[in-house]
Amino acid sequence: MVLDSKIALITGGASGIGAGIAKRFAQEGAVVAICDIDAQTGTKTAQEINGEVHFFELNIGSEEQVRKTVEHILQQFSRIDILVNNAGITNDRLVLRMTKEDWENVININLTGTFLVTKAVIRSMIKQRYGKIVNIASVIGLIGNAGQANYAASKAGVIGFTKSVAKELAARNVTVNAIAPGFINTKMTDTIPDELKQAYLKMIPMGRFGETDDVANLALFLSSNQSSFITGQVFSLDGGMVM
């Protein structure tokens, strides 16, 4: 199996894209540590996935919680080979109506949280001279979107963060890449009004939304040794929406 015995930490792994990645990694032999603020859903997801999957409750916006949780995972499994920074939130409003709190909450989880988890994990990766980091960004971080200035800024930040950390860690055999999904069928996209959904579909040359498996398959490749000479790259996964 592609990830046989690798230890993978996935933030935001309780549902949606994160759960899809956790399932795919477990199928390929990885020992998976799902981290999520939603303990009930996370525990259920871990139980439902075939393979060795463990759940750890974590709010990635808390530096102390991140430090303690990563230490716990390292104590339990001795190492972390793969990190998928997937956890994220939205809080959409036009800039004129966006409060400082609206802005800071999204930046704190999507960007600062990615920084905190990465910082806590990379010391062990540097020491073992091996690691795979996959950051889940978004096409919105590439093209922007009305009503999502905070989200777009956070995901654009993740892209810049990815490239910078890739340069810092390349000599240590740690690769860092980002996936920028377009519209993926999840509970989040289920809430989009039909009229707006049809408008979005017209922007996608392939004429459909993606599936969590699409993201999981790319994350699997970037987390495997098959991608050993790829780092600092951003992969749009959007049915041709951004070309």
Side-chain angles (χ1 to χ4, degrees):
M1 291 183 281
V2 175
L3 301 182
D4 193 26
S5 299
K6 291 288 192 291
I7 311 298
L9 188 165
I10 302 171
T11 68
S15 59
I17 288 173
I21 294 172
K23 179 180 178 181
R24 191 75 181 92
F25 281 17
Q27 288 172 343
E28 290 296 334
V31 176
V32 179
I34 290 176
C35 294
D36 203 290
I37 197 170
D38 186 345
Q40 183 175 356
T41 304
T43 300
K44 185 175 182 226
T45 297
Q47 292 171 344
E48 289 175 348
I49 295 175
N50 291 327
E52 188 173 351
V53 182
H54 306 261
F55 174 74
F56 299 86
E57 186 175 357
L58 173 63
N59 172 10
I60 66 167
S62 166
E63 185 173 10
E64 182 67 9
Q65 280 192 40
V66 168
R67 183 184 62 79
K68 288 182 177 179
T69 302
V70 170
E71 285 180 356
H72 186 188
I73 293 170
L74 286 170
Q75 287 172 0
Q76 185 166 340
F77 303 110
S78 300
R79 68 187 196 278
I80 296 171
D81 302 303
I82 300 163
L83 168 63
V84 179
N85 284 305
N86 168 73
I89 62 171
T90 58
N91 194 347
D92 299 347
R93 281 181 176 80
L94 294 173
V95 169
L96 280 172
R97 296 172 183 164
M98 187 177 292
T99 66
K100 187 168 179 280
E101 185 179 11
D102 294 333
W103 174 270
E104 290 179 342
N105 286 344
V106 173
I107 297 294
N108 183 51
I109 296 300
N110 296 4
L111 181 55
T112 305
T114 295
F115 157 72
L116 292 174
V117 178
T118 300
K119 183 180 178 182
V121 168
I122 58 174
R123 188 178 300 275
S124 65
M125 289 183 170
I126 290 170
K127 186 176 180 180
Q128 69 192 21
R129 297 190 68 86
Y130 179 86
K132 298 284 187 177
I133 300 174
V134 179
N135 297 323
I136 306 301
S138 170
V139 294
I140 303 304
L142 296 170
I143 63 174
N145 195 31
Q148 290 192 301
N150 49 1
Y151 183 75
S154 71
K155 293 302 186 177
V158 167
I159 289 170
F161 178 77
T162 297
K163 291 178 176 292
S164 298
V165 179
K167 290 184 175 182
E168 292 183 14
L169 300 182
R172 300 290 184 170
N173 195 35
V174 178
T175 64
V176 189
N177 293 289
I179 299 173
F183 292 99
I184 306 297
N185 281 319
T186 63
K187 288 182 180 178
M188 187 178 294
T189 53
D190 286 345
T191 63
I192 298 174
D194 286 340
E195 184 177 336
L196 189 56
K197 188 176 289 188
Q198 292 304 313
Y200 286 146
L201 285 170
K202 290 178 182 178
M203 299 166 60
I204 303 170
M206 293 189 73
R208 66 174 179 86
F209 286 2
E211 303 295 337
T212 56
D213 282 349
D214 295 319
V215 186
N217 287 333
L218 181 52
L220 174 64
F221 170 69
L222 294 173
S223 299
S224 74
N225 290 332
Q226 295 173 342
S227 62
S228 61
F229 201 52
I230 301 173
T231 196
Q233 303 305 306
V234 181
F235 296 87
S236 295
L237 196 151
D238 57 12
M241 182 178 169
V242 178
M243 292 192 187

